[in-house]
Amino acid sequence: QVQLVESGGGSVQAGGSLRLSCLASGVISSNCLGWFRQVPGKDREAVASIYPDGVISYFADSAKGRFTISRDNDKSMVHLQMDSLKPEDTAMYYCAAAQSSVCFRDPSEFDYWGQGTHVTVSS
């Protein structure tokens, strides 16, 4: 049984940092893992995704240069290090896993989702 549990969200001032973590129980090392975010009234958008071997699949333009995604297959963890945060990064952040080893940008290609962790960035 696959279960994803996010942690690390919270409130921070602009320019600050947060590190989101996701414990992906039941996810095998050959699954693509990703982070998505969503604000009320908008579609869920991909932030970053990572192949099973640790190669980065995708980074949203808004996250490039500020966010880093990493995974630890031995611990079934995926992390999102967020630096230089901006108010527009405020959202609910979700961890997701695909049954496939191929990473896509479309949320519909991911099969398992966590409950989300909220990030608030104040100006």
Side-chain angles (χ1 to χ4, degrees):
Q1 182 179 357
V2 176
Q3 185 176 14
L4 306 180
V5 180
E6 303 96 336
S7 61
S11 298
V12 65
Q13 288 191 327
S17 298
L18 284 173
R19 179 177 170 86
L20 305 184
S21 296
C22 175
L23 176 59
S25 304
V27 171
I28 60 178
S29 60
S30 61
N31 296 124
C32 172
L33 297 173
W35 286 96
F36 292 77
R37 67 186 182 186
Q38 189 170 24
V39 297
K42 292 190 175 181
D43 293 337
R44 191 167 297 188
E45 65 171 356
V47 177
S49 58
I50 186 167
Y51 284 111
D53 60 359
V55 173
I56 307 302
S57 169
Y58 169 78
F59 255 119
D61 288 341
S62 59
K64 288 179 181 177
R66 300 189 298 124
F67 294 5
T68 304
I69 186 172
S70 62
R71 66 188 288 167
D72 184 336
N73 290 333
D74 291 338
K75 296 181 180 180
S76 298
M77 298 284 292
V78 60
H79 306 283
L80 185 69
Q81 176 67 40
M82 305 188 295
D83 299 319
S84 302
L85 283 161
K86 304 176 181 180
E88 50 264 43
D89 294 318
T90 296
M92 184 70 81
Y93 284 73
Y94 298 91
C95 172
Q99 289 184 333
S100 169
S101 61
V102 179
C103 288
F104 297 94
R105 192 179 309 178
D106 190 340
S108 67
E109 298 290 344
F110 285 78
D111 303 282
Y112 307 102
W113 293 86
Q115 292 299 308
T117 185
H118 199 268
V119 171
T120 301
V121 184
S122 58
S123 58

